[in-house]
Amino acid sequence: MPEARGILGFGAPRLGVAPYAELADPVNNAVDRWLDRLVGVAHTFMPFYRLRLRRFAGRVLRLEERYRDLPDQALRDAAQGLRSRLLCRTDAPSELAEAFAIVREVSRRVLGKQHYPVQIMGALALFEGRMVEMATGEGKTLTATPAAVVAALAGNPVHIVTVNDYLAARDAAENRPIFEFFGLTCGVIDSEMEPAQRRDAYACDVTYISNKNLTFDYLRDRIALRQRRSPARRRTLEYLDEAGQGGLLLRGLAFAIVDEADSVFVDEARTPLILSTTADDPERAQVYVEALDIARQLDEVHDFRVDRMNRNVTLEKRGKKAVERLSQNLQGLWRIRKAREELVTQALLALWFYENGRDYIVVDDSVQIVDEFTGRVMPDRSWQAGLHQMIEAKEGVEITGQKETLARITYQRFFRRYVRLAGMTGTGT
């Protein structure tokens, strides 16, 4: 039996900033958060909630005879007849039961799979924006379809989020016949898609996508909106067809169903997702070489302190004076006290804590990071704050441009912006 848990928190609607539906970051104190969790847990684990789910499932199953013998077109007409009522009110039990029963019958016809009562219970919990725990083999992929269909019929863009591109493509291919039966479009996004293709996929009623792709596309929209945040400015640009809303990827953060939710909401919740660009500065390359030269002349005992446990270096008072003396004939950043001390500190970090063959390798005149946990080479990653360029200078390879952060967010902050958020997991306890 699925276990439903309370939604992961809503905030006040964001107004006047985004051109599509999303919530603002919730602003509350520790007491509010504690009370919210307490009430949510108490509500979820009280017997009447599961009883309500079970009764709803029974109500859906009793409607089976009504729709079993109807022709396909009659089923479509019945669904379209519910659509206007769902647009007005999506929480009416009678309309929801009828819609779920129709989806159940369509699934039986096009996939040969009919939702079991436990899956109907899970689907209702998802539709209400809850976390559902279902054991492996209970059919989480199929469980999401009634909630997704009803939300899409009610006019909401639906995002079904998986942990990678393969699962997104697989689940979309499996469930697409159900959505197409109702005249709903189903899109899928993978990492290799161009912006125009992504926009078309987001324009579909239901979109399957990985959590990483979804979050980075949201950051791209934030950057696109940065210069036109006020409603008046945005409307003017849209009227003139200059970087208007057509340039955005998403249609809104209305409803998301997140598979493997424990991985996204817990394991990777605070992992920062950073959208950056490379800033080329040819003159900066010489600065890194000069910093390394100065760092090699400093004395560990008197000029700086090495904290091996925390992998940190601190310049002592004598060391700062030594840096000032050694850089007195240099120009540019070396004239700024904080800048020269930061440069030399980064150079000392590169010399003392980052070793070729352990923390990184040099391949084709390029410094590539080695993950300290898995040992895998990650060619697309780089250290921040000039450290990567300092190591490139240490190894004598071509110095790349320093990364500049354009936007950043965590999964925890991003998914809390959905108007309605639901999750599925097999390991929620």
Side-chain angles (χ1 to χ4, degrees):
M1 180 180 297
E3 180 179 341
R5 299 183 178 181
I7 187 64
L8 303 180
F10 288 150
R14 180 187 296 275
L15 301 175
V17 176
Y20 48 62
E22 65 172 315
L23 299 182
D25 290 329
V27 179
N28 51 18
N29 55 38
V31 175
D32 292 333
R33 291 193 296 270
W34 181 80
L35 288 174
D36 184 53
R37 292 193 186 102
L38 181 63
V39 173
V41 170
H43 174 74
T44 296
F45 285 97
M46 289 179 71
F48 75 82
Y49 183 73
R50 290 193 184 184
L51 179 61
R52 185 171 71 84
L53 293 180
R54 194 175 294 112
R55 285 180 175 176
F56 178 84
R59 188 173 183 174
V60 171
L61 266 61
R62 287 193 295 273
L63 292 170
E64 179 179 349
E65 295 299 325
R66 178 190 297 183
Y67 298 111
R68 178 174 287 273
D69 297 326
L70 288 181
D72 289 354
Q73 189 56 46
L75 272 181
R76 293 189 182 95
D77 293 341
Q80 292 302 319
L82 289 171
R83 190 165 197 167
S84 59
R85 285 183 281 169
L86 291 172
L87 286 169
C88 298
R89 185 182 178 187
T90 59
D91 59 348
S94 58
E95 281 80 2
L96 276 180
E98 290 181 46
F100 276 41
I102 293 173
V103 175
R104 183 170 182 259
E105 174 61 22
V106 170
S107 176
R108 184 188 68 82
R109 295 186 185 188
V110 301
L111 298 183
K113 300 177 181 179
Q114 195 168 34
H115 296 79
Y116 291 102
V118 69
Q119 293 173 316
I120 294 297
M121 293 170 63
L124 178 62
L126 290 175
F127 185 75
E128 293 179 343
R130 295 185 174 274
M131 179 85 76
V132 173
E133 181 181 0
M134 300 181 69
T136 302
E138 286 189 338
K140 293 195 297 292
T141 301
L142 188 64
T143 298
T145 54
V149 168
V150 174
L153 288 175
N156 296 311
V158 179
H159 299 155
I160 300 182
V161 186
T162 64
V163 294
N164 56 52
D165 292 347
Y166 166 76
L167 291 177
R170 185 201 67 181
D171 293 352
E174 181 177 342
N175 292 324
R176 182 176 280 110
I178 296 178
F179 301 121
E180 291 179 345
F181 185 95
F182 293 101
L184 301 172
T185 53
C186 177
V188 59
I189 291 177
D190 64 57
S191 301
E192 303 302 321
M193 279 187 172
E194 297 296 326
Q197 296 173 304
R198 290 172 177 265
R199 196 172 296 112
D200 291 340
Y202 282 119
C204 294
D205 298 297
V206 180
T207 304
Y208 283 81
I209 184 173
S210 70
N211 54 332
K212 183 177 180 181
N213 276 323
L214 176 61
T215 309
F216 276 116
D217 285 342
Y218 176 80
L219 290 179
R220 293 184 182 98
D221 278 359
R222 295 301 93 196
I223 294 171
L225 287 168
R226 189 165 291 169
Q227 299 301 321
R228 47 193 173 96
R229 291 208 167 219
S230 71
R233 181 177 178 84
R234 187 174 66 249
R235 292 192 188 99
T236 302
L237 291 172
E238 290 170 4
Y239 179 78
L240 296 174
D241 197 27
E242 297 178 4
Q245 187 173 345
L248 301 180
L249 297 173
L250 280 71
R251 291 193 297 132
L253 305 184
F255 182 39
I257 300 174
V258 182
D259 196 7
E260 302 297 340
D262 54 334
S263 173
V264 178
F265 296 151
V266 179
D267 299 341
E268 302 180 61
R270 295 185 179 274
T271 301
L273 290 97
I274 302 171
L275 202 60
S276 61
T277 186
T278 301
D280 294 324
D281 187 357
E283 297 180 359
R284 198 73 178 264
Q286 182 60 30
V287 172
Y288 297 122
V289 175
E290 294 166 347
L292 287 166
D293 180 59
I294 293 174
R296 290 188 178 103
Q297 298 180 57
L298 299 181
D299 179 69
E300 179 190 358
V301 177
H302 301 101
D303 294 333
F304 60 92
R305 184 174 68 254
V306 178
D307 183 354
R308 290 176 172 81
M309 179 175 292
N310 297 310
R311 292 172 66 91
N312 192 26
V313 174
T314 304
L315 282 174
E316 301 287 7
K317 187 174 182 180
R318 174 173 164 175
K320 294 177 180 179
K321 291 183 178 180
V323 170
E324 181 180 6
R325 184 184 72 255
L326 293 170
S327 62
Q328 61 183 353
N329 295 325
L330 302 177
Q331 303 298 320
L333 291 174
W334 296 108
R335 296 296 183 184
I336 305 172
R337 180 181 61 82
K338 285 191 174 182
R340 63 174 176 255
E341 291 174 2
E342 177 64 25
L343 282 168
V344 173
T345 299
Q346 291 288 60
L348 289 168
L349 286 172
L351 292 171
W352 280 84
F353 291 110
Y354 293 86
E355 181 181 334
N356 189 357
R358 185 192 66 189
D359 303 290
Y360 63 89
I361 60 174
V362 179
V363 179
D364 297 329
D365 291 330
S366 172
V367 172
Q368 299 183 6
I369 297 176
V370 176
D371 189 279
E372 62 179 319
F373 300 108
T374 65
R376 294 179 180 177
V377 178
M378 300 178 292
D380 297 328
R381 291 192 184 181
S382 63
W383 287 293
Q384 293 183 324
L387 178 60
H388 197 89
Q389 289 71 28
M390 198 69 70
I391 293 174
E392 289 173 331
K394 183 182 80 168
E395 295 296 333
V397 302
E398 181 181 356
I399 298 177
T400 58
Q402 187 170 335
K403 299 289 185 180
E404 290 185 357
T405 299
L406 299 177
R408 61 185 295 160
I409 200 170
T410 62
Y411 287 131
Q412 184 182 66
R413 284 188 58 210
F414 169 67
F415 281 105
R416 286 166 69 92
R417 297 186 178 189
Y418 270 90
V419 177
R420 181 174 294 182
L421 176 62
M424 301 183 292
T425 178
T427 56
T429 54

